[in-house]
Amino acid sequence: MSAPRERLPGERVFALLVVLFSAFMLWSSFGISGFKSSTSAGAFPMAASATMLVCALIALVQTLKMPAAAAQPGESTLQHLRRRVAPAVIVWTTVAIFAYMLVLERLGFIVASYVYLLVNMRILGERRWRVSALASAVVLAAIYVVFQTAFSVVLPSGSLWQGFFK
């Protein structure tokens, strides 16, 4: 039998937030049409949010019963949270995704995606720039061909380049 899982820092707060969100969703779905009949417009959203609330309550109770994970000696709660829940690779990948979202329309799909792939490969640990450059180009070419030809998706061309290629 394996040892019980330890509760991560911030897990109790997160479980409580999920319960509160689920209760809010149940209350909101009740506002659609009330509980008039099982075929009313709000019946399915109420059933889904009630199920979500029950599961969230079960998860909260289980979380409260778990032993807390031990921090390293001299480590504050915030440092423990950052080390266990939000390590640097996750934080920097998230920053890269947000930056990609911000520049996609301006730079266009090809340039923004190529830079994003290069940066993210570096974040994930690849140190050889030639490997990253080649892998990013190959992956981007495959994605472009599939979406442009197979799915006929119009990919952003970028407003920054519009004046250069007219």
Side-chain angles (χ1 to χ4, degrees):
M1 185 169 180
S2 64
R5 187 176 76 80
E6 293 180 328
R7 184 181 68 240
L8 295 174
E11 198 167 354
R12 286 183 299 189
V13 173
F14 181 77
L16 180 62
L17 288 174
V18 172
V19 168
L20 293 173
F21 176 75
S22 301
F24 172 75
M25 293 307 294
L26 181 60
W27 177 72
S28 295
S29 60
F30 182 78
I32 294 173
S33 63
F35 193 68
K36 295 178 183 170
S37 74
S38 61
T39 59
S40 65
F44 182 75
M46 278 193 299
S49 56
T51 303
M52 193 166 77
L53 179 60
V54 169
C55 292
L57 286 168
I58 292 169
L60 177 63
V61 169
Q62 290 175 346
T63 299
L64 293 174
K65 290 179 182 179
M66 285 182 201
Q72 293 179 349
E75 185 177 48
S76 71
T77 304
L78 185 60
Q79 290 170 330
H80 188 211
L81 174 73
R82 195 174 79 216
R83 180 177 58 85
R84 294 288 304 267
V85 178
V89 69
I90 293 175
V91 171
W92 285 113
T93 299
T94 304
V95 168
I97 290 169
F98 278 112
Y100 175 70
M101 290 171 21
L102 292 174
V103 301
L104 181 61
E105 286 292 323
R106 172 84 77 206
L107 295 180
F109 176 77
I110 294 174
V111 174
S113 297
Y114 186 74
V115 170
Y116 167 75
L117 288 170
L118 277 176
V119 168
N120 210 38
M121 289 177 93
R122 182 77 176 193
I123 291 169
L124 294 174
E126 179 57 56
R127 297 292 174 237
R128 298 168 294 178
W129 281 106
R130 288 183 185 177
V131 171
S132 296
L134 181 62
S136 296
V138 169
V139 168
L140 186 57
I143 290 171
Y144 186 80
V145 166
V146 168
F147 279 88
Q148 194 72 22
T149 58
F151 297 139
S152 299
V153 174
V154 178
L155 299 170
S157 59
S159 60
L160 187 64
W161 314 112
Q162 303 252 331
F164 293 120
F165 300 114
K166 281 192 174 183

